[in-house]
Amino acid sequence: MEKRRVAVTGLGTLNPISLNKDEFWDGLASGKSGITEITRFDVSNFPSRIAGELKNFDPSLHIDRKEMRRMDRFVQYALIATLEAVEDSHLELENEDRNKIGIIIGSGIGGLWTLEEQHKKLLNDGPGRVSPFFIPMMIADMASGYISIKLGAKGVNFCPVSACASGAHAIGEAFRFIQNGYNDIIITGGSEAPITPMALAGFASMKALSVRNDEPGTASRPFDKNRDGFIVSEGAGIVVLEEFEHAAKRGANIYAELVGYAATGDAYHIAAPAPDGEGAATAMGLCLEDAGLNLDDVDYINAHGTSTPLNDKYETIAIKTVFKDYAKKIPVSSTKSMIGHLLGAAGGVEFIATVLCMKNSTIHPTINYTTPDPECDLDYVPNESRDEEIKCTISNSFGFGGHNAVIAVKKC
């Protein structure tokens, strides 16, 4: 059977620099940082005291207050981003076959805030005070489950959990389901709400976080020689994927065509990437093969670019392994330089950033790039946006446990 084409027809996001896709693009294009000191809890005893919190977020503008109290933050984020993406797509769901509408939304951790709050109640007040909504609020699949109920979507429904590759895996698997004819429409992406005392303490104990507390706006500096760790952030990135002819027939605004996807495993270490980015390189190569692309077809790479010493070095090596002499001609930039690391939501938000770069013929910068690292020697589009037509691009996502996902997108 001939594989079907897949269109991107709707975008929705909440992230540290914006609460909608239009403001997100404005922030990206201008090189705005969303990293600030944490305000949600006392961080005075933490070695890292900065994060990418959502600014001016009020879920009650979109969700009934009673309903809101029964949802963890990551489900709230996913739902609100979904509402924006569906509105942006101009889909009239009541006119669609609900059995052909799927939901695949990834999360690396799920309801960690709920887990911590309910654990306090257990210890302080006893088991009878633990909420009956605790389990469904906490489990990572609940964003997908809740949104399917809300929209009446009865197609495929699940949650990939692959650490920082979760959102990208969700989009890639949604692509496959549509491509192979199982669904016509899938709402997909990632959502995460990991700014909690336990998460911050855990990542800090791993020495994974930046401790540039006095200058949070410059703390995330992917590929810069003086990078010292990533910044934990929160939010969601949700997209509407649609079978291409279905989208064209209804006159949809098609942002881009999703043309390739590959996923690999490092089989190496629970937290560190494989030496020389072997797994990442394999995923990029397989993605290009899946999309039927030549090396010089790729005009831009949206990097995983975490601002950690090993990831940035090995991702650079992986790009050079795959693209060879052409690697130094490809612009590469990291969305995380502005929004930090949204963990399971990163792949979804960065996919949206990639699509918006293509739509606007502008490559957003890698900000805070001031001191070149001899081991990171590609064109990282430092500090300022660059006007450039993008006909084809790939977006990289890699996660703890050795999970790698790469997505290829073409301009229609």
Side-chain angles (χ1 to χ4, degrees):
M1 184 181 74
E2 186 177 348
K3 290 186 175 180
R4 306 194 305 172
R5 297 169 67 193
V6 180
V8 182
T9 60
L11 309 176
T13 184
L14 306 172
N15 59 70
I17 60 174
S18 73
L19 298 179
N20 61 68
K21 68 176 178 63
D22 293 331
E23 289 180 7
F24 182 42
W25 174 250
D26 291 342
L28 289 176
S30 63
K32 177 182 177 181
S33 173
I35 310 306
T36 55
E37 184 168 345
I38 293 171
T39 61
R40 193 163 296 156
F41 53 90
D42 182 10
V43 292
S44 56
N45 292 328
F46 287 79
S48 180
R49 300 187 292 277
I50 54 180
E53 293 181 327
L54 295 191
K55 313 297 190 296
N56 304 311
F57 175 67
D58 182 359
S60 68
L61 297 175
H62 307 273
I63 307 170
D64 175 78
R65 289 185 180 276
K66 181 179 179 181
E67 191 177 22
M68 189 175 72
R69 288 194 294 271
R70 298 175 179 179
M71 303 164 69
D72 188 85
R73 293 174 190 268
F74 89 102
V75 179
Q76 295 174 10
Y77 300 164
L79 175 59
I80 294 169
T82 294
L83 295 176
E84 181 187 19
V86 172
E87 181 180 10
D88 185 45
S89 74
H90 298 287
L91 272 167
E92 296 181 3
L93 297 179
E94 64 275 11
N95 296 330
E96 301 291 340
D97 180 355
R98 301 302 176 102
N99 294 306
K100 288 288 191 176
I101 303 174
I103 314 288
I104 306 178
I105 297 175
S107 184
I109 299 176
L112 190 56
W113 185 270
T114 294
L115 175 62
E116 292 186 34
E117 290 298 299
Q118 294 301 314
H119 187 244
K120 287 178 193 173
K121 287 188 177 182
L122 173 66
L123 296 181
N124 296 332
D125 305 321
R129 302 303 298 170
V130 172
S131 169
F133 298 102
F134 162 53
I135 298 298
M137 288 174 70
M138 178 200 73
I139 51 181
D141 69 308
M142 198 45 64
S144 275
Y146 191 92
I147 289 166
S148 74
I149 295 167
K150 197 77 175 172
L151 301 183
K154 298 180 180 180
V156 62
N157 186 289
F158 67 95
C159 167
V161 179
S162 51
C164 310
S166 301
H169 275 130
I171 294 170
E173 293 303 312
F175 168 60
R176 289 280 186 254
F177 271 85
I178 296 174
Q179 199 179 41
N180 292 316
Y182 299 115
N183 290 259
D184 293 334
I185 301 163
I186 299 183
I187 294 157
T188 183
S191 186
E192 203 81 271
I195 304 177
T196 74
M198 186 67 75
L200 192 69
F203 283 125
S205 292
M206 294 176 69
K207 310 294 184 188
L209 301 179
S210 172
V211 293
R212 203 181 287 265
N213 297 307
D214 295 335
E215 41 186 15
T218 66
S220 185
R221 43 184 55 238
F223 305 107
D224 185 89
K225 184 178 181 180
N226 296 319
R227 63 192 184 276
D228 70 330
F230 74 83
I231 313 296
V232 66
S233 297
E234 62 183 352
I238 305 294
V239 301
V240 176
L241 299 186
E242 210 172 324
E243 191 274 322
F244 200 95
E245 294 304 319
H246 181 280
K249 187 175 180 179
R250 70 178 184 86
N253 171 42
I254 298 176
Y255 283 97
E257 181 179 358
L258 208 165
V259 293
Y261 162 63
T264 65
D266 284 351
Y268 173 70
H269 191 274
I270 59 170
D276 296 334
E278 178 191 358
T282 302
M284 281 188 271
L286 289 173
C287 181
L288 295 178
E289 182 180 328
D290 184 56
L293 296 172
N294 297 317
L295 299 182
D296 59 2
D297 289 330
V298 177
D299 300 314
Y300 166 59
I301 297 173
N302 186 279
H304 188 55
T306 57
S307 186
T308 57
L310 285 182
N311 175 86
D312 295 0
K313 172 184 173 181
Y314 287 154
E315 186 172 13
T316 297
I317 293 172
I319 291 169
K320 292 194 287 189
T321 298
V322 173
F323 290 92
K324 302 178 173 58
D325 293 342
Y326 184 61
K328 293 194 176 184
K329 299 178 182 178
I330 308 173
V332 178
S333 67
S334 171
T335 310
K336 291 183 183 73
S337 65
M338 289 173 271
I339 65 173
H341 197 339
L342 278 76
L343 309 183
V349 177
E350 290 163 19
F351 180 81
I352 292 171
T354 303
V355 169
L356 290 174
C357 284
M358 179 177 286
K359 174 182 180 289
N360 292 286
S361 298
T362 302
I363 299 173
H364 78 62
T366 302
I367 68 167
N368 303 321
Y369 185 87
T370 57
T371 308
D373 182 344
E375 294 186 307
C376 298
D377 56 353
L378 300 177
D379 174 7
Y380 302 114
V381 193
N383 304 314
E384 292 185 0
S385 293
R386 183 181 302 168
D387 293 339
E388 194 161 319
E389 185 178 9
I390 303 168
K391 294 180 181 178
C392 182
T393 176
I394 63 172
S395 179
N396 291 339
S397 294
F398 314 129
F400 283 178
H403 309 294
N404 308 301
V406 181
I407 302 170
V409 190
K410 285 178 72 174
K411 199 168 192 174
C412 291

